[in-house]
Amino acid sequence: MSYDQVLTLSRAAMAQRVARSPPEIFEVVSGIAALPFISPSLSEAEVVQISKQIEREFEVVLGPSHTIQAPGHKPWLLGRAHQIDFRYWKRYRDYLIAGGMSETVVNAIAGVTDTIVDLAGDPNIDGTWSRRGLVVGHVQSGKTANYLGVINKAADAGYRVIVLIAGVHNNLRSQTQERVDSGFVGRDSDQILSRQVNADRVGVGNFNPSFTASAFTSRAHDFSRARADGWGNPLQNSSEPVILVIKKHPSILNNLIDWIRGTSASQGGLTLPMLVIDDEADNASVDTSKDPNAPKTINRLIRDLLGLSTRNAYVGYTATPFANIFIDPDVESALQGKDLFPRDFVVGLEAATNYVGPHSFFGEGSAGLTVDLERTDEWLPLSHKIDWRVEGLHPSLIEAIGCFVLSKAIRVLRGQASKHHSMLVNVSRFTGVQSEVARNISGYLIELQSAIQNRFALPETSALRDPFIRSLHATWRKFYAGGDEDWAGVQAQLHKAAAGMVVIEVNASKSSGKLDYRAHGESGLNVIAVGGNSLSRGFTLEGLTISYFLRNTQMYDTLLQMGRWFGYRDGYKDLCRLFLKKEAADWYGFIADATEELRDEIRRMELNGLTPMDFGFAVRSHPGTLMVTARNKMQNTEQIVREVSLSGKMVETSVIIATDSARTANVAAVEDAIAKMMSDGCVPLPHGRGALPSHLFTGVRSERVLDFISSFGVHPGQLDMQRAPLIEYIRERDLSSWDVVLVSSSKSEASEVDVQGLTIGLQSRAVTIGKTQRFERALLVSGTKRRVASRGIERAGLSDPQVAAALKAHQGKSSNVPDHIYRAQRSRPLLMLHLFKAVEDGDQIHAAYGLSFPGLAVGERDKLVFYTANLIAYRELFGSPEDEYEDEEVLVDD
């Protein structure tokens, strides 16, 4: 307790200072730790740990948000600021700072929430109006903290009815309610709903208990008309803002709509301004009906709910906006009004600098946090049936459990003994299989805890005679031996780390009530959570350190949302490990790049003054969205036609035809292209470092590029490299002058090859053999990662000022610059020619190529590429829609 007390007092003290150097922080913490009322006293190591924690917190910076909006909006919030008593926001701000968020970050949140509330509309304006917006964040990056800030400010500004739609699962709704209690209501909602006069203070209620919002839902109870009627106080008469946290379910929405209609002053609608926040707005809210006058149930009910107030605002929150952008912005029906397309504004949130996102696990230069899973199919195939019998635990899962115990012991040594510590096991969508896995883990954990209790205090040599301790020691050597903590210290803390660990199953069949982090707030909950989709979207596992993931979906939004391991891991990021199949890791790497490019669209469109309608078009025309979402929209079609813009995009042949004749012909096509450019008088220039740099040609005629594309054989299964659409696009845009780079490996061990008198280092690439009907006779380069070129190649052909501009856009960093940053500076298109040796294919040389297109010049009109895919190809890309749900948890819709 004294540790947390000193940490809280140190945060408050440092928030009042300008200079925050490490020596000063240590001096402040030491002074507070020495105060007479601090009991028990802290050790020097604990004082050092608190000092380092404060240092990390004050190093964190939250980047600026980016906003695109429809024309005609008149800002109002800042102009009315002097008239508004921001009492809800002020105590929420104090709550965030006390919880360890630096004042710099809180101020950044204050700025972006001002923007969102302003764009939502002035609740004091009379008449009839409706606003639609979307906030795009990162998975597990603090969207909840943001929308709680919006709720507090909206309440201060005059929004009287606030409905927060919190996903499709009970556990997520309950967790969201808990956060609303702490961040907005200030009282225990379970006690409020049971009519306890003096409900316990929680969260913000400890900073200013003089007011509280009216909660009509609680952690234990979703909305119920019977409980709401029991209040006997019409909604219109509430003296404080009303908050309802509801599950995204037809019966709940229907009951809420009927109750509001029955209790409102006008017997059919509200005169009070209403704010509806839709968390996970891409899930179930999007209308997939082909008939605009007969929208799907959830979509229709949300629109009905909004229509109950003459003054309403809808703000969707998501990290995966693909499905939302597929909403038709022109759809409107007489009964439901306009659809949920964010026609008024889109706000892109930046994650804080301490965010551990996809690139930390899957990007180039990642921190080695991902562990490849191999040979798990005999234990549990990716595509298994509901009645699959799980026998014991796979050795890799035993190793992952060992990492979980060891990482907790190390966190104890770092002064984090009372912090929550979680492990995720997500291996099946079937609850019966989940139960068997959980039962086997429980049995193993009991044996492990017993061995630790009996051996942890023995001398190292004696302890290592036990097979469990010996297994833990081997796991420590493999994953953690390079850290600051030695084995002797880790072994001494094993019992404290493991004794309180429990296994909890979280799905529709089992109550997640035991997964109650708030109840274990002082001592910390140490839990191995076994589940499926209940743990895959929105739900946060506090202190998640070890993840064991074995799923086979390939849908962008579903796969990203399953990434519960993203988030903030201050003080233990180096301990985190993600166990997953290499193919899934490749997909995540590809998706991370695709989604980051879409976020860049918001930034670029903000600079150019474009609108949400333009953003909707940009997402729909992104090559990656060919493999993103809109499953229900396309599942019954025989042919899918997509209009795609390639401006500012890169595409490459990552699927190779696996026949000798095609391989030989494509290598010859590369050599012929080089010969023709040289015959035209193009002189190759060295590009890159090393003994064997790449060769750059500039001013290459478009005809040479078109000839090459025409002669290169592309596998028919690679939809985004279809020859005819690419050639038509290049001609339509009149891209007459090109840069061409013959790429060379920079590795010293690379084999040398001669191409028309030019020496290059032969690249090396991992390939896998295609196993589906779509990729028959194909080699997949880098597996499903779909990447041939190494990072940084798109710098080729840029001038020094363009390179400088790219580095500036990358916050001045000169290393590990993503290619889309370089691409944004291009004025000429780039053709990348690759010759490589397949790691699994001996000395055979293969060819591939990539195209990097510049963005649109001022006044230039965009051209579209028309791609087509049949239903078989589509299903092989996405799987079936039911793969998104657990068999017992399918959301009922009409």
Side-chain angles (χ1 to χ4, degrees):
M1 184 63 185
S2 58
Y3 185 99
D4 290 336
Q5 187 180 18
V6 172
L7 179 59
T8 300
L9 292 173
S10 299
R11 284 169 175 158
M14 294 309 304
Q16 310 302 318
R17 294 171 178 255
V18 176
R20 294 164 181 151
S21 65
E24 183 187 26
I25 292 173
F26 181 77
E27 181 182 352
V28 169
V29 174
S30 299
I32 292 174
L35 293 173
F37 58 84
I38 301 296
S39 179
S41 60
L42 300 184
S43 67
E44 183 178 351
E46 289 175 317
V47 171
V48 170
Q49 286 294 334
I50 292 175
S51 300
K52 289 183 177 179
Q53 176 68 23
I54 297 291
E55 284 180 44
R56 287 192 297 269
E57 291 174 4
F58 281 100
E59 285 175 354
V60 175
V61 175
L62 184 63
S65 62
H66 301 275
T67 303
I68 53 178
Q69 58 182 297
H73 174 68
K74 295 181 179 179
W76 60 273
L77 184 62
L78 295 182
R80 275 190 52 210
H82 66 287
Q83 302 170 343
I84 300 173
D85 179 8
F86 286 101
R87 52 182 184 150
Y88 279 97
W89 165 252
K90 287 176 181 175
R91 71 174 187 176
Y92 180 60
R93 184 182 188 280
D94 292 341
Y95 166 72
L96 291 178
I97 291 175
M101 193 173 287
S102 74
E103 194 168 8
T104 302
V105 173
V106 174
N107 289 341
I109 291 175
V112 68
T113 50
D114 276 350
T115 298
I116 296 169
V117 173
D118 187 282
L119 290 169
D122 186 349
N124 289 347
I125 292 179
D126 293 327
T128 300
W129 52 265
S130 181
R131 303 275 296 173
R132 301 283 190 271
L134 182 70
V135 179
V136 181
H138 299 252
V139 175
Q140 297 284 95
S141 67
K143 295 188 300 296
T144 304
N146 182 279
Y147 68 61
L148 283 173
V150 168
I151 288 173
N152 279 279
K153 285 186 178 176
D156 290 327
Y159 279 95
R160 298 291 301 284
V161 179
I162 301 168
V163 180
L164 174 53
I165 307 174
V168 300
H169 297 301
N170 285 322
N171 61 346
L172 175 56
R173 192 213 68 82
S174 179
Q175 185 180 70
T176 303
Q177 178 76 60
E178 181 177 320
R179 293 179 172 184
V180 168
D181 289 355
S182 295
F184 177 55
V185 177
R187 301 278 179 172
D188 187 311
S189 58
D190 284 331
Q191 296 177 11
I192 292 175
L193 223 58
S194 62
R195 300 197 181 184
Q196 293 188 29
V197 177
N198 295 312
D200 291 343
R201 301 177 191 174
V202 296
V204 294
N206 293 312
F207 293 86
N208 188 342
S210 64
F211 55 93
T212 184
S214 299
F216 279 71
T217 55
S218 74
R219 286 195 301 160
H221 301 292
D222 204 334
F223 177 79
S224 162
R225 292 185 65 180
R227 291 189 199 87
D229 287 337
W231 281 94
N233 186 30
L235 195 59
Q236 299 262 153
N237 296 344
S238 178
S239 59
E240 291 289 342
V242 171
I243 179 77
L244 302 104
V245 182
I246 65 171
K247 186 164 75 266
K248 196 178 296 186
H249 192 279
S251 63
I252 299 296
L253 283 161
N254 268 315
N255 286 337
L256 176 58
I257 291 167
D258 290 345
W259 177 72
I260 291 177
R261 283 178 177 150
T263 59
S264 60
S266 58
Q267 292 293 305
L270 291 171
T271 58
L272 300 176
M274 175 190 289
L275 172 65
V276 173
I277 291 182
D278 186 0
D279 194 11
E280 308 298 336
D282 61 307
N283 190 24
S285 300
V286 177
D287 184 22
T288 58
S289 171
K290 296 179 180 178
D291 183 355
N293 293 313
K296 291 291 185 177
T297 302
I298 296 295
N299 178 273
R300 171 177 58 80
L301 291 173
I302 293 176
R303 291 157 71 182
D304 285 346
L305 175 64
L306 288 162
L308 292 175
S309 172
T310 56
R311 295 172 286 168
N312 65 80
Y314 170 89
V315 182
Y317 275 76
T318 183
T320 49
F322 308 109
N324 303 81
I325 301 304
F326 279 99
I327 300 171
D328 188 340
D330 297 323
V331 166
E332 183 172 5
S333 69
L335 291 176
Q336 278 77 43
K338 288 187 178 296
D339 205 345
L340 303 179
F341 182 84
R343 64 179 186 270
D344 295 304
F345 63 92
V346 176
V347 176
L349 302 179
E350 287 292 332
T353 51
N354 61 334
Y355 175 63
V356 183
H359 282 294
S360 297
F361 289 94
F362 313 111
E364 293 186 30
S366 59
L369 305 182
T370 304
V371 182
D372 290 342
L373 286 180
E374 298 177 346
R375 297 186 292 276
T376 58
D377 285 348
E378 288 188 10
W379 177 65
L380 186 62
L382 288 177
S383 298
H384 57 271
K385 302 297 184 182
I386 191 172
D387 58 353
W388 180 267
R389 302 295 298 177
V390 178
E391 300 293 340
L393 298 179
H394 191 269
S396 61
L397 181 50
I398 291 175
E399 189 172 62
I401 295 170
C403 284
F404 183 60
V405 173
L406 292 165
S407 58
K408 179 60 180 183
I410 295 172
R411 293 189 71 187
V412 172
L413 291 171
R414 294 180 182 181
Q416 302 171 15
S418 61
K419 301 299 181 183
H420 299 307
H421 191 67
S422 301
M423 176 177 176
L424 164 69
V425 179
N426 186 340
V427 295
S428 174
R429 67 187 180 96
F430 299 119
T431 56
V433 177
Q434 294 167 24
S435 294
E436 284 200 37
V437 173
R439 187 163 51 250
N440 288 335
I441 293 175
S442 294
Y444 176 78
L445 182 62
I446 289 171
E447 292 184 279
L448 180 62
Q449 289 168 324
S450 177
I452 288 172
Q453 183 177 3
N454 293 331
R455 302 286 190 272
F456 84 99
L458 296 177
E460 179 178 326
T461 303
S462 300
L464 289 177
R465 294 194 184 103
D466 182 276
F468 286 97
I469 304 298
R470 195 161 57 247
S471 174
L472 285 175
H473 183 261
T475 302
W476 173 80
R477 287 176 60 88
K478 182 176 180 180
F479 293 104
Y480 300 127
D484 294 334
E485 296 82 9
D486 61 17
W487 172 252
V490 171
Q491 180 183 312
Q493 300 300 333
L494 285 176
H495 183 50
K496 186 174 183 178
M501 288 180 174
V502 294
V503 180
I504 296 178
E505 191 178 339
V506 183
N507 52 42
S509 303
K510 302 284 184 175
S511 170
S512 60
K514 293 181 180 179
L515 200 60
D516 189 344
Y517 290 105
R518 192 170 82 179
H520 297 82
E522 291 189 6
S523 59
L525 181 61
N526 298 303
V527 59
I528 300 175
V530 182
N533 284 358
S534 287
L535 293 174
S536 295
R537 184 177 271 276
F539 192 83
T540 299
L541 291 168
E542 303 288 350
L544 180 61
T545 309
I546 307 299
S547 301
Y548 191 91
F549 184 81
L550 199 63
R551 300 292 293 274
N552 65 348
T553 181
Q554 289 183 346
M555 289 170 283
Y556 281 27
D557 42 12
T558 303
L559 196 60
L560 268 182
Q561 291 289 354
M562 285 181 172
R564 298 294 94 197
W565 43 83
F566 305 137
Y568 299 99
R569 306 287 183 261
D570 290 341
Y572 63 100
K573 173 185 173 181
D574 60 311
L575 306 180
C576 295
R577 293 296 182 274
L578 166 61
F579 291 75
L580 107 156
K581 289 272 193 180
K582 187 178 186 305
E583 304 86 67
D586 289 343
W587 268 103
Y588 270 110
F590 178 61
I591 293 166
D593 289 339
T595 51
E596 189 57 35
E597 287 190 25
L598 290 178
R599 294 181 196 284
D600 280 345
E601 293 285 358
I602 302 179
R603 302 182 188 111
R604 286 194 290 269
M605 289 182 173
E606 180 185 49
L607 290 173
N608 294 321
L610 299 178
T611 71
M613 300 288 275
D614 298 309
F615 180 62
F617 172 79
V619 176
R620 287 192 294 272
S621 65
H622 189 284
T625 60
L626 190 64
M627 299 169 287
V628 170
T629 189
R631 298 159 298 280
N632 295 335
K633 281 189 173 182
M634 297 181 178
Q635 63 179 325
N636 296 317
T637 61
E638 295 181 359
Q639 192 77 6
I640 304 162
V641 180
R642 291 298 318 284
E643 303 173 42
V644 173
S645 167
L646 291 178
S647 62
K649 305 298 189 300
M650 191 274 278
V651 291
E652 57 185 356
T653 53
S654 57
V655 181
I656 306 298
I657 302 174
T659 64
D660 285 339
S661 58
R663 180 187 61 78
T664 302
N666 283 341
V667 170
V670 170
E671 293 176 336
D672 186 57
I674 298 297
K676 288 179 178 178
M677 286 186 293
M678 295 176 74
S679 69
D680 288 341
C682 295
V683 178
L685 302 172
H687 172 75
R689 300 174 180 176
L692 295 174
S694 299
H695 300 278
L696 173 67
F697 298 83
T698 61
V700 177
R701 293 186 293 126
S702 178
E703 289 77 7
R704 291 304 186 203
V705 175
L706 295 176
D707 287 346
F708 169 76
I709 294 174
S710 297
S711 64
F712 195 95
V714 175
H715 192 281
Q718 186 166 5
L719 306 176
D720 56 354
M721 292 302 290
Q722 293 175 15
R723 184 183 302 156
L726 285 175
I727 291 174
E728 183 179 359
Y729 176 80
I730 292 169
R731 286 175 174 162
E732 287 286 326
R733 274 197 73 182
D734 193 24
L735 300 171
S736 58
S737 179
W738 285 69
D739 295 328
V740 178
V741 61
L742 175 62
V743 183
S744 176
S745 173
S746 61
K747 296 181 179 179
S748 58
E749 68 271 18
S751 303
E752 295 185 14
V753 293
D754 180 272
V755 182
Q756 299 297 325
L758 302 177
T759 303
I760 64 170
L762 192 63
Q763 300 176 83
S764 180
R765 293 289 180 268
V767 299
T768 55
I769 298 175
K771 298 179 181 179
T772 65
Q773 181 180 351
R774 175 169 168 249
F775 288 136
E776 185 180 2
R777 294 188 306 162
L779 295 177
L780 309 181
V781 183
S782 301
T784 50
K785 192 174 182 180
R786 301 172 59 89
R787 187 67 194 255
V788 179
S790 298
R791 175 168 286 203
I793 190 59
E794 292 183 71
R795 178 173 177 164
L798 295 185
S799 65
D800 290 343
Q802 287 174 324
V803 171
L807 297 181
K808 181 178 180 182
H810 194 49
Q811 299 178 336
K813 301 175 183 177
S814 59
S815 61
N816 208 26
V817 180
D819 279 284
H820 66 84
I821 299 291
Y822 289 128
R823 195 182 316 136
Q825 303 300 323
R826 296 207 72 84
S827 56
R828 295 186 304 272
L830 173 69
L831 168 64
M832 295 157 281
L833 301 175
H834 300 278
L835 293 177
F836 65 91
K837 179 172 61 176
V839 174
E840 298 83 356
D841 196 23
D843 295 326
Q844 300 275 28
I845 297 178
H846 297 268
Y849 79 92
L851 298 167
S852 174
F853 294 101
L856 298 176
V858 176
E860 182 183 6
R861 296 187 63 180
D862 204 2
K863 308 296 180 183
L864 298 179
V865 180
F866 289 83
Y867 288 132
T868 61
N870 61 28
L871 185 59
I872 292 175
Y874 177 82
R875 283 178 175 162
E876 287 183 1
L877 283 168
F878 302 135
S880 300
E882 60 266 21
D883 289 343
E884 289 187 76
Y885 305 103
E886 296 173 51
D887 54 315
E888 290 92 344
E889 293 193 82
V890 176
L891 183 67
V892 178
D893 208 339
D894 59 2

